[in-house]
């Protein structure tokens, strides 16, 4: 499996945000060695586009997630402009079905759950706040996947809830930030850490994101937390290099509302033509960037962990 297999469909989905496509392609590569065996739950599934792509699903390139977003001015008030569902315009055309289905997708945002359900990947979607009890049946799931645990305040409760819903020999798959993650945020490193007012402007780039990344921990710290919650690590790797995370930290995010607004006034055929040429032009730039993942950097350890956990019996 090469980076292209994942990067191209992700670039087609996130075309105006190539940095997001790069991160998600690295997620897919890290997860490549892990098998998702059913029944499966996806906690914090969002719009499902990532899990759909990871599962081998592909969409017609005419599908464009940026065509239906909330009022773009809200971007500057730190509102999630993608928290929007319009059933008349958001119908995805699946060209390749995913290789497996996910039994239950959980998220707190109803609009994103509706988008996720429209992909045909999830058998069921259930709204819930993952800080509270999870709407998952006791002992039902062989695979519980989540890439959002670090957004949560009450993440230990979530781990306990996942363990409760896990089948006896089941696996919990988590993607979590390493202690180094904060070093790769310009706002955190140059302003929050130093308090130097000349870097205060970096909040324009950060937009509150790095505050949302609440749990950045070393392998040893995560291991101790898992052990306290009756879970042991059966597989681990670090991924997401400093290069990728620093590129993602800026990316096209600051100008993205304007790019979206410009794309949204184009006639559909012209828009698709530009999108296809854009993706073609970006691939040779983003692809080698993702491949830097494979080079080791002793001084700057990767910013993320992939953990596979099982119950301590
Ligand atoms: C960055 S998105 C990731 C979505 C999806 N897993 C993906 O990979 O594209 C984070 C998701 O976490 C969800 N989320 C954040 N806090 C949550 C909570 N307390 N309960 C449930 N979902 C939550 C958000 O609604 C959002 O869909």
């Amino acid at each position: 499996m090469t980076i292209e297999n994942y990067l191209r469909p992700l670039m087609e989905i996130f075309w105006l945000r190539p940095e997001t496509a790069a991160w998600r392609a690295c997620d897919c590569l890290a997860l490549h060695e892990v098998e998702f065996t059913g029944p499966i739950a996806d906690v914090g599934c969002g719009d499902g586009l990532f899990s759909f792509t990871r599962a081998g699903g592909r969409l017609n390139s005419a599908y464009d997630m940026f065509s239906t977003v909330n009022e773009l001015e809200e971007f500057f008030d730190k509102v999630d402009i993608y928290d929007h569902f319009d059933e008349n315009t958001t119908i995805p055309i699946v060209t390749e079905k995913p290789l497996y289905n996910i039994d239950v997708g959980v998220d707190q945002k109803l609009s994103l759950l509706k988008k996720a359900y429209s992909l045909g990947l999830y058998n069921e979607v259930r709204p819930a706040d993952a800080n509270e009890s999870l709407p998952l049946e006791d002992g039902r799931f062989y695979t519980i996947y989540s890439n959002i645990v670090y957004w949560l305040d009450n993440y230990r409760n979530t781990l306990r809830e996942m363990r409760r819903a896990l089948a006896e020999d089941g696996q919990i798959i988590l993607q979590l930030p390493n202690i180094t993650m904060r070093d790769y945020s310009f706002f955190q490193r140059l302003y929050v850490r130093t308090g130097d007012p000349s870097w205060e402007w970096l909040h324009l780039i950060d937009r509150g994101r790095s505050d949302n990344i609440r749990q950045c921990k070393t392998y040893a710290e995560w291991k101790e937390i898992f052990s306290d919650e009756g879970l042991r690590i059966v597989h681990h790797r670090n991924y997401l290099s400093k290069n990728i995370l620093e590129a993602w930290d800026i990316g096209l995010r600051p100008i993205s509302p304007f790019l979206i607004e410009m794309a949204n006034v184009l006639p559909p055929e012209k828009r698709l033509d530009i999108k296809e040429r854009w993706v073609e032009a970006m691939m040779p730039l983003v692809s080698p960037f993702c491949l830097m993942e494979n080079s080791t950097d002793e001084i700057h350890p990767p910013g993320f962990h992939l953990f596979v956990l099982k119950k301590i019996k």
Side-chain angles (χ1 to χ4, degrees):
M1 178 62 62
T2 65
I3 190 76
E4 283 246 340
N5 292 80
Y6 292 122
L7 186 61
R8 185 170 287 276
L10 288 163
M11 284 287 285
E12 282 180 4
I13 290 171
F14 299 110
W15 67 293
L16 292 173
R17 299 292 302 278
E19 71 276 17
T20 303
W23 175 316
R24 303 339 298 274
C26 294
D27 277 339
C28 286
L29 275 189
L31 282 167
H32 188 65
E33 55 215 48
V34 182
E35 196 179 344
F36 280 45
T37 314
I40 307 171
D42 183 354
V43 175
C45 63
D47 61 14
L49 287 167
F50 170 70
S51 286
F52 175 82
T53 312
R54 135 82 203 174
R58 298 292 177 259
L59 297 173
N60 183 308
S61 67
Y63 173 79
D64 197 326
M65 67 172 289
F66 299 104
S67 60
T68 49
V69 288
N70 285 326
E71 289 297 317
L72 288 166
E73 298 81 67
E74 293 182 6
F75 175 89
F76 298 103
D77 300 325
K78 298 184 183 156
V79 170
D80 177 3
I81 57 171
Y82 306 105
D83 183 7
H84 176 96
F85 181 75
D86 176 350
E87 52 217 71
N88 299 317
T89 50
T90 331
I91 315 284
I93 299 165
V94 175
T95 52
E96 282 177 54
K97 284 192 174 176
L99 301 173
Y100 54 84
N101 272 52
I102 294 182
D103 296 83
V104 180
V106 176
D107 203 277
Q108 64 184 0
K109 291 185 180 167
L110 276 174
S111 68
L112 299 185
L113 286 177
K114 286 184 191 165
K115 282 190 204 176
Y117 191 68
S118 71
L119 294 167
L121 169 70
Y122 297 93
N123 296 340
E124 239 186 283
V125 289
R126 300 177 181 172
D129 179 349
N131 281 305
E132 319 256 308
S133 58
L134 292 175
L136 301 175
E137 297 83 352
D138 289 357
R140 174 177 168 198
F141 297 91
Y142 187 85
T143 299
I144 301 180
Y145 167 71
S146 183
N147 60 10
I148 69 135
V149 167
Y150 60 95
W151 290 62
L152 305 173
D153 292 320
N154 207 359
Y155 68 98
R156 277 184 179 256
N157 183 55
T158 311
L159 291 175
R160 229 164 288 144
E161 280 290 287
M162 288 179 174
R163 190 183 188 281
R164 172 189 61 71
L166 198 65
E168 221 25 62
D169 198 33
Q171 54 177 359
I172 298 175
I173 302 169
L174 301 177
Q175 285 162 303
L176 294 166
N178 195 0
I179 193 77
T180 51
M181 174 72 184
R182 286 230 159 84
D183 298 338
Y184 308 148
S185 146
F186 291 103
F187 179 69
Q188 289 289 332
R189 185 171 75 234
L190 299 173
Y191 176 65
V192 177
R193 281 227 185 116
T194 64
D196 177 348
S198 66
W199 291 113
E200 208 258 334
W201 63 273
L202 283 169
H203 75 86
L204 295 170
I205 284 180
D206 189 75
R207 301 185 68 253
R209 276 173 306 122
S210 58
D211 278 347
N212 284 334
I213 299 179
R214 307 218 171 101
Q215 325 298 341
C216 298
K217 300 183 197 304
T218 62
Y219 174 86
E221 286 167 336
W222 282 118
K223 187 176 175 200
E224 194 178 333
I225 290 164
F226 298 146
S227 173
D228 287 351
E229 301 305 340
L231 296 164
R232 68 192 162 92
I233 300 167
V234 296
H235 174 80
H236 169 259
R237 67 173 286 173
N238 282 122
Y239 73 109
L240 285 176
S241 65
K242 176 177 187 280
N243 292 326
I244 287 278
L245 289 171
E246 286 188 343
W248 174 82
D249 195 49
I250 301 179
L252 299 187
R253 189 182 301 102
I255 55 166
S256 64
F258 302 106
L259 290 175
I260 297 171
E261 194 171 343
M262 285 193 278
N264 286 348
V265 294
L266 290 171
E269 270 177 32
K270 187 71 190 159
R271 179 190 182 114
L272 183 57
D273 171 52
I274 293 179
K275 174 182 160 180
E276 284 173 350
R277 287 186 289 127
W278 172 297
V279 169
E280 232 29 76
M282 293 302 285
M283 281 299 292
L285 295 173
V286 184
S287 177
F289 220 83
C290 293
L291 288 176
M292 284 190 219
E293 275 294 282
N294 300 330
S295 51
T296 46
D297 180 343
E298 306 280 321
I299 303 166
H300 303 106
F304 252 69
H305 303 280
L306 167 67
F307 288 109
V308 181
L309 312 171
K310 290 206 169 191
K311 284 184 187 182
I312 298 170
K313 288 180 187 159

